[in-house]
Amino acid sequence: MLNRRNFLAAAVGVAAAGALTACAKSDAGSSTSSGGSDSGGSGGKAINLGFSQVGSESGWRTANSDSVKEAAKEAGYTLKFSDAQQKQENQISAIRSYIAQKVDVIAFSPVVVTGWDAVLKEARTAKIPVVLTDRSVETSDESLYVTLVGSDFTAEGERAAVILEKVLATAGHKGEVKIAQLEGTTGAAPAIERAKGFKTVMDRQHKDDWKIVVSQTGDFTRAGGKQVMAAFLQSNPDINVLFAHNDDMAIGAIQAIEAAGKKPGKDILIVSIDGVKDGFVAMSEGKINAIVECNPLLGPQLMDVVKKVHAGEKVERWIKTEESDYTQDQAKAALPNRKY
Ligand code: GYE
Protein backbone atom coordinates (compact mmCIF):
# COMPACT_ATOMS: atom_id res chain seq x y z
CA MET A 1 0.00 0.00 0.00
CA LEU A 2 2.40 2.66 1.15
CA ASN A 3 5.28 1.37 -0.92
CA ARG A 4 7.77 3.15 1.28
CA ARG A 5 10.31 0.39 0.91
CA ASN A 6 10.09 0.57 -2.86
CA PHE A 7 11.18 4.16 -2.82
CA LEU A 8 14.55 3.51 -1.29
CA ALA A 9 16.54 2.97 -4.40
CA ALA A 10 14.84 5.56 -6.50
CA ALA A 11 16.20 9.04 -6.70
CA VAL A 12 14.30 11.95 -8.07
CA GLY A 13 15.51 15.39 -8.90
CA VAL A 14 13.12 18.26 -8.96
CA ALA A 15 14.01 21.67 -10.18
CA ALA A 16 12.17 24.40 -8.39
CA ALA A 17 11.85 26.12 -11.74
CA GLY A 18 10.73 29.67 -11.48
CA ALA A 19 9.65 29.26 -7.91
CA LEU A 20 12.11 31.67 -6.40
CA THR A 21 10.09 34.73 -5.64
CA ALA A 22 10.10 37.56 -3.19
CA CYS A 23 8.88 36.79 0.30
CA ALA A 24 5.14 36.85 0.63
CA LYS A 25 3.79 39.08 3.35
CA SER A 26 0.70 37.27 4.56
CA ASP A 27 0.65 33.73 5.89
CA ALA A 28 -1.57 30.83 6.84
CA GLY A 29 0.28 30.71 10.14
CA SER A 30 3.27 32.39 11.67
CA SER A 31 6.21 33.53 9.63
CA THR A 32 9.80 33.70 10.79
CA SER A 33 12.32 35.70 8.88
CA SER A 34 15.72 34.34 8.22
CA GLY A 35 18.33 35.15 10.80
CA GLY A 36 20.87 32.44 10.24
CA SER A 37 24.24 32.35 8.64
CA ASP A 38 23.27 30.68 5.39
CA SER A 39 20.95 32.16 2.83
CA GLY A 40 20.30 28.56 1.87
CA GLY A 41 19.63 29.16 -1.77
CA SER A 42 20.45 30.58 -5.11
CA GLY A 43 21.34 34.19 -5.63
CA GLY A 44 21.65 34.95 -1.92
CA LYS A 45 17.88 35.02 -1.49
CA ALA A 46 16.52 33.16 1.53
CA ILE A 47 14.58 30.03 0.69
CA ASN A 48 10.91 30.57 1.34
CA LEU A 49 9.58 27.40 2.99
CA GLY A 50 5.92 26.72 3.77
CA PHE A 51 5.47 24.08 6.48
CA SER A 52 2.12 22.59 7.47
CA GLN A 53 2.31 20.80 10.81
CA VAL A 54 -0.19 18.13 11.93
CA GLY A 55 -1.03 19.78 15.23
CA SER A 56 0.26 19.92 18.78
CA GLU A 57 -1.21 16.65 20.00
CA SER A 58 1.83 15.20 21.79
CA GLY A 59 5.24 15.83 23.32
CA TRP A 60 6.74 14.36 20.17
CA ARG A 61 4.94 16.93 18.04
CA THR A 62 6.07 19.86 20.19
CA ALA A 63 9.68 18.69 19.91
CA ASN A 64 9.26 18.24 16.16
CA SER A 65 7.81 21.75 15.66
CA ASP A 66 10.60 23.31 17.74
CA SER A 67 13.19 21.40 15.74
CA VAL A 68 11.75 22.58 12.42
CA LYS A 69 11.57 26.21 13.55
CA GLU A 70 15.08 26.22 15.01
CA ALA A 71 16.62 24.51 12.01
CA ALA A 72 14.92 26.89 9.57
CA LYS A 73 16.27 29.83 11.52
CA GLU A 74 19.71 28.29 11.64
CA ALA A 75 19.64 27.68 7.88
CA GLY A 76 18.52 31.24 7.23
CA TYR A 77 15.23 30.34 5.53
CA THR A 78 12.01 32.29 5.68
CA LEU A 79 9.62 29.84 7.32
CA LYS A 80 5.86 30.00 7.14
CA PHE A 81 4.55 27.61 9.75
CA SER A 82 0.98 26.58 10.43
CA ASP A 83 -0.63 24.14 12.89
CA ALA A 84 -3.55 22.16 11.43
CA GLN A 85 -4.93 20.97 14.78
CA GLN A 86 -5.08 17.38 13.49
CA LYS A 87 -7.51 18.36 10.70
CA GLN A 88 -6.82 17.49 7.08
CA GLU A 89 -8.92 20.35 5.74
CA ASN A 90 -6.75 22.83 7.66
CA GLN A 91 -3.62 21.31 6.15
CA ILE A 92 -5.07 21.49 2.66
CA SER A 93 -5.93 25.17 3.06
CA ALA A 94 -2.49 25.90 4.51
CA ILE A 95 -0.86 24.21 1.50
CA ARG A 96 -3.15 26.13 -0.88
CA SER A 97 -2.17 29.35 0.80
CA TYR A 98 1.54 28.49 0.41
CA ILE A 99 0.91 27.84 -3.28
CA ALA A 100 -0.86 31.20 -3.61
CA GLN A 101 2.09 32.87 -1.88
CA LYS A 102 4.47 31.18 -4.31
CA VAL A 103 6.81 29.76 -1.66
CA ASP A 104 9.90 27.96 -2.97
CA VAL A 105 9.27 24.62 -1.29
CA ILE A 106 6.33 23.15 0.63
CA ALA A 107 6.90 20.65 3.44
CA PHE A 108 4.20 18.98 5.46
CA SER A 109 3.53 16.17 7.87
CA PRO A 110 0.25 14.67 6.63
CA VAL A 111 -2.27 13.93 9.36
CA VAL A 112 -3.70 10.95 7.42
CA VAL A 113 -2.39 9.00 4.44
CA THR A 114 -5.17 9.48 1.89
CA GLY A 115 -6.83 12.44 0.17
CA TRP A 116 -3.86 14.52 -0.95
CA ASP A 117 -3.81 14.05 -4.74
CA ALA A 118 -5.74 17.19 -5.67
CA VAL A 119 -3.69 19.63 -3.61
CA LEU A 120 -0.40 17.93 -4.56
CA LYS A 121 -1.34 18.36 -8.23
CA GLU A 122 -2.00 22.04 -7.60
CA ALA A 123 1.50 22.36 -6.14
CA ARG A 124 2.96 20.62 -9.15
CA THR A 125 1.08 22.92 -11.55
CA ALA A 126 2.57 25.85 -9.65
CA LYS A 127 6.01 24.17 -9.96
CA ILE A 128 6.50 24.08 -6.19
CA PRO A 129 8.25 20.90 -4.98
CA VAL A 130 6.74 19.11 -1.99
CA VAL A 131 8.75 17.34 0.73
CA LEU A 132 6.96 15.09 3.23
CA THR A 133 8.22 14.98 6.78
CA ASP A 134 7.48 12.44 9.48
CA ARG A 135 4.42 10.79 7.86
CA SER A 136 3.83 9.37 4.39
CA VAL A 137 0.87 9.57 2.00
CA GLU A 138 -0.84 7.18 -0.39
CA THR A 139 -1.12 8.75 -3.81
CA SER A 140 -2.04 7.71 -7.34
CA ASP A 141 1.15 9.31 -8.60
CA GLU A 142 4.24 8.97 -6.46
CA SER A 143 6.07 11.70 -8.33
CA LEU A 144 3.71 14.21 -6.69
CA TYR A 145 6.19 14.56 -3.85
CA VAL A 146 9.96 14.48 -3.92
CA THR A 147 10.94 12.66 -0.75
CA LEU A 148 9.95 11.67 2.77
CA VAL A 149 12.12 12.57 5.77
CA GLY A 150 10.95 10.35 8.62
CA SER A 151 10.94 7.11 10.54
CA ASP A 152 10.15 3.53 9.61
CA PHE A 153 6.91 3.05 11.57
CA THR A 154 6.45 -0.60 10.57
CA ALA A 155 9.87 -1.34 12.02
CA GLU A 156 8.87 0.54 15.17
CA GLY A 157 5.81 -1.71 15.57
CA GLU A 158 7.98 -4.79 15.09
CA ARG A 159 10.50 -3.48 17.62
CA ALA A 160 7.66 -2.90 20.11
CA ALA A 161 6.64 -6.57 19.85
CA VAL A 162 10.22 -7.77 20.18
CA ILE A 163 10.80 -5.60 23.25
CA LEU A 164 7.54 -6.85 24.75
CA GLU A 165 9.03 -10.36 24.64
CA LYS A 166 11.87 -9.07 26.84
CA VAL A 167 9.50 -7.22 29.15
CA LEU A 168 7.40 -10.37 29.67
CA ALA A 169 10.52 -12.40 30.39
CA THR A 170 11.86 -9.82 32.88
CA ALA A 171 8.48 -9.72 34.65
CA GLY A 172 8.43 -13.53 34.76
CA HIS A 173 5.02 -13.46 33.11
CA LYS A 174 3.28 -16.83 32.75
CA GLY A 175 0.14 -17.64 30.84
CA GLU A 176 -1.88 -15.75 28.27
CA VAL A 177 -0.83 -12.30 27.16
CA LYS A 178 -3.97 -10.19 26.84
CA ILE A 179 -3.05 -7.02 25.02
CA ALA A 180 -4.88 -3.72 24.85
CA GLN A 181 -3.75 -1.53 21.96
CA LEU A 182 -4.09 2.26 22.01
CA GLU A 183 -3.89 3.26 18.36
CA GLY A 184 -2.74 6.61 17.01
CA THR A 185 -4.94 8.85 14.89
CA THR A 186 -7.15 6.78 12.60
CA GLY A 187 -5.79 6.75 9.06
CA ALA A 188 -2.40 8.19 10.04
CA ALA A 189 0.72 6.43 8.75
CA PRO A 190 2.22 5.80 12.23
CA ALA A 191 -1.05 4.29 13.48
CA ILE A 192 -1.46 2.00 10.47
CA GLU A 193 2.16 0.93 10.25
CA ARG A 194 2.90 0.51 13.96
CA ALA A 195 -0.16 -1.73 14.31
CA LYS A 196 0.94 -3.68 11.23
CA GLY A 197 4.53 -4.18 12.40
CA PHE A 198 3.45 -5.31 15.85
CA LYS A 199 0.91 -7.77 14.43
CA THR A 200 3.44 -9.23 12.00
CA VAL A 201 5.75 -10.28 14.84
CA MET A 202 2.82 -11.40 16.98
CA ASP A 203 1.34 -13.58 14.23
CA ARG A 204 4.71 -15.04 13.38
CA GLN A 205 5.95 -15.80 16.88
CA HIS A 206 3.06 -15.67 19.33
CA LYS A 207 -0.03 -16.94 17.55
CA ASP A 208 -0.98 -19.11 20.52
CA ASP A 209 0.03 -17.08 23.55
CA TRP A 210 -0.57 -13.40 22.64
CA LYS A 211 -3.92 -11.86 21.81
CA ILE A 212 -4.99 -8.27 21.15
CA VAL A 213 -8.25 -8.25 23.10
CA VAL A 214 -9.16 -4.60 22.57
CA SER A 215 -7.86 -1.94 20.19
CA GLN A 216 -9.06 1.58 19.67
CA THR A 217 -7.74 5.02 18.78
CA GLY A 218 -6.70 7.49 21.48
CA ASP A 219 -5.77 10.04 18.80
CA PHE A 220 -2.15 10.26 20.03
CA THR A 221 -3.25 12.42 23.01
CA ARG A 222 -3.05 11.97 26.81
CA ALA A 223 -6.76 12.71 27.22
CA GLY A 224 -7.60 10.14 24.53
CA GLY A 225 -5.33 7.53 26.12
CA LYS A 226 -6.87 8.05 29.53
CA GLN A 227 -10.45 7.91 28.35
CA VAL A 228 -10.06 4.88 26.10
CA MET A 229 -7.99 2.96 28.66
CA ALA A 230 -10.67 3.57 31.31
CA ALA A 231 -13.24 2.04 28.93
CA PHE A 232 -10.90 -0.89 28.14
CA LEU A 233 -10.53 -1.66 31.86
CA GLN A 234 -14.29 -1.71 32.25
CA SER A 235 -14.92 -4.02 29.31
CA ASN A 236 -11.80 -6.19 29.72
CA PRO A 237 -10.56 -6.15 33.33
CA ASP A 238 -8.20 -9.05 32.60
CA ILE A 239 -5.91 -7.06 30.27
CA ASN A 240 -2.28 -7.57 31.33
CA VAL A 241 -0.38 -5.69 28.61
CA LEU A 242 -0.81 -2.27 27.01
CA PHE A 243 0.77 -1.44 23.67
CA ALA A 244 0.39 2.32 23.13
CA HIS A 245 1.31 3.86 19.78
CA ASN A 246 2.84 6.83 21.62
CA ASP A 247 4.06 7.85 25.08
CA ASP A 248 1.38 10.47 25.61
CA MET A 249 -1.42 7.91 25.30
CA ALA A 250 0.51 5.58 27.63
CA ILE A 251 0.80 8.41 30.18
CA GLY A 252 -2.95 9.07 29.95
CA ALA A 253 -3.60 5.33 30.30
CA ILE A 254 -1.40 5.16 33.41
CA GLN A 255 -3.78 7.60 35.10
CA ALA A 256 -6.76 5.41 34.17
CA ILE A 257 -4.97 2.26 35.38
CA GLU A 258 -4.13 3.87 38.72
CA ALA A 259 -7.69 5.20 39.06
CA ALA A 260 -8.89 1.61 38.58
CA GLY A 261 -6.69 0.56 41.54
CA LYS A 262 -4.09 -1.28 39.44
CA LYS A 263 -0.33 -0.84 39.16
CA PRO A 264 0.96 0.31 35.76
CA GLY A 265 4.19 -1.50 34.87
CA LYS A 266 3.28 -4.44 37.15
CA ASP A 267 -0.40 -5.50 36.87
CA ILE A 268 -0.38 -4.13 33.35
CA LEU A 269 2.93 -4.16 31.50
CA ILE A 270 3.31 -1.18 29.18
CA VAL A 271 5.27 -0.72 25.96
CA SER A 272 5.01 2.55 24.05
CA ILE A 273 6.68 4.44 21.22
CA ASP A 274 8.38 7.88 20.98
CA GLY A 275 10.79 8.31 23.89
CA VAL A 276 9.78 11.81 24.99
CA LYS A 277 11.05 13.02 28.36
CA ASP A 278 7.78 12.36 30.21
CA GLY A 279 7.81 8.84 28.82
CA PHE A 280 11.30 8.35 30.24
CA VAL A 281 10.16 9.78 33.59
CA ALA A 282 7.28 7.25 33.69
CA MET A 283 9.72 4.49 32.72
CA SER A 284 12.20 5.48 35.44
CA GLU A 285 9.30 5.33 37.94
CA GLY A 286 8.58 1.77 36.80
CA LYS A 287 5.25 2.67 35.20
CA ILE A 288 6.24 2.11 31.56
CA ASN A 289 8.28 -1.05 30.94
CA ALA A 290 9.89 -0.23 27.59
CA ILE A 291 9.93 2.48 24.95
CA VAL A 292 10.73 2.25 21.26
CA GLU A 293 12.31 5.52 20.24
CA CYS A 294 10.95 7.63 17.40
CA ASN A 295 13.11 10.67 16.86
CA PRO A 296 11.23 13.98 16.32
CA LEU A 297 14.32 16.11 15.72
CA LEU A 298 13.90 16.14 11.96
CA GLY A 299 14.53 19.87 11.41
CA PRO A 300 18.20 19.82 10.37
CA GLN A 301 17.70 16.91 7.94
CA LEU A 302 14.63 18.59 6.50
CA MET A 303 16.43 21.90 5.89
CA ASP A 304 19.25 20.07 4.19
CA VAL A 305 16.86 18.26 1.87
CA VAL A 306 14.89 21.43 1.14
CA LYS A 307 18.08 23.16 0.07
CA LYS A 308 18.98 20.31 -2.28
CA VAL A 309 15.50 20.09 -3.73
CA HIS A 310 15.41 23.83 -4.27
CA ALA A 311 18.75 23.63 -6.08
CA GLY A 312 17.40 20.85 -8.31
CA GLU A 313 19.72 18.21 -6.84
CA LYS A 314 18.77 14.55 -6.59
CA VAL A 315 17.71 13.26 -3.19
CA GLU A 316 16.73 9.82 -1.89
CA ARG A 317 13.04 8.93 -1.89
CA TRP A 318 13.04 8.17 1.82
CA ILE A 319 15.49 9.69 4.27
CA LYS A 320 15.19 7.61 7.42
CA THR A 321 15.84 8.59 11.01
CA GLU A 322 18.03 6.53 13.33
CA GLU A 323 16.47 5.26 16.54
CA SER A 324 17.03 3.02 19.59
CA ASP A 325 15.00 0.97 22.09
CA TYR A 326 15.01 1.44 25.88
CA THR A 327 14.01 -0.69 28.88
CA GLN A 328 13.51 0.33 32.52
CA ASP A 329 17.07 -0.56 33.54
CA GLN A 330 18.36 2.03 31.05
CA ALA A 331 15.76 4.72 31.79
CA LYS A 332 17.42 6.50 34.72
CA ALA A 333 20.79 6.74 33.02
CA ALA A 334 19.28 7.93 29.73
CA LEU A 335 16.89 10.49 31.24
CA PRO A 336 19.30 13.42 31.79
CA ASN A 337 20.42 13.21 28.17
CA ARG A 338 16.96 13.23 26.59
CA LYS A 339 16.72 16.25 24.34
CA TYR A 340 12.92 16.21 23.96
O1 GYE B 1 4.61 9.11 17.43
C1 GYE B 1 3.08 10.82 17.99
C2 GYE B 1 2.67 12.03 17.24
O2 GYE B 1 3.88 11.00 13.47
C3 GYE B 1 5.68 9.92 14.49
O3 GYE B 1 2.71 11.61 15.88
C4 GYE B 1 4.57 10.88 14.64
C5 GYE B 1 3.61 10.56 15.76
C6 GYE B 1 4.21 10.39 17.13
O4 GYE B 1 1.53 12.60 17.65
O5 GYE B 1 3.41 11.11 19.32
Side-chain angles (χ1 to χ4, degrees), residues 139-278:
T139 155
S140 58
D141 175 357
E142 279 159 7
S143 70
L144 286 172
Y145 67 88
V146 186
T147 182
L148 164 69
V149 181
S151 306
D152 185 338
F153 301 136
T154 308
E156 289 172 354
E158 290 169 0
R159 284 158 51 203
V162 170
I163 210 156
L164 176 58
E165 291 172 344
K166 279 195 202 157
V167 164
L168 290 164
T170 307
H173 183 89
K174 300 264 178 313
E176 260 195 292
V177 177
K178 295 187 177 174
I179 305 167
Q181 177 172 239
L182 277 169
E183 301 162 24
T185 303
T186 305
I192 298 168
E193 295 168 20
R194 286 171 182 170
K196 188 176 92 187
F198 187 89
K199 192 169 180 301
T200 303
V201 174
M202 187 174 98
D203 288 351
R204 192 172 58 216
Q205 273 146 239
H206 300 284
K207 253 206 144 20
D208 302 326
D209 53 333
W210 291 15
K211 198 170 174 211
I212 296 180
V213 292
V214 270
S215 185
Q216 210 178 296
T217 181
D219 217 12
F220 278 133
T221 65
R222 284 187 195 202
K226 183 177 179 184
Q227 193 191 328
V228 176
M229 190 66 197
F232 283 171
L233 290 165
Q234 289 272 330
S235 61
N236 295 72
D238 55 349
I239 294 162
N240 47 31
V241 166
L242 168 65
F243 167 40
H245 287 186
N246 78 345
D247 293 343
D248 283 85
M249 291 191 294
I251 290 163
I254 285 169
Q255 295 171 20
I257 294 167
E258 288 174 337
K262 295 193 177 191
K263 281 211 166 81
K266 298 227 158 39
D267 300 329
I268 299 183
L269 302 171
I270 303 179
V271 171
S272 66
I273 302 182
D274 271 359
V276 295
K277 230 178 215 136
D278 287 352

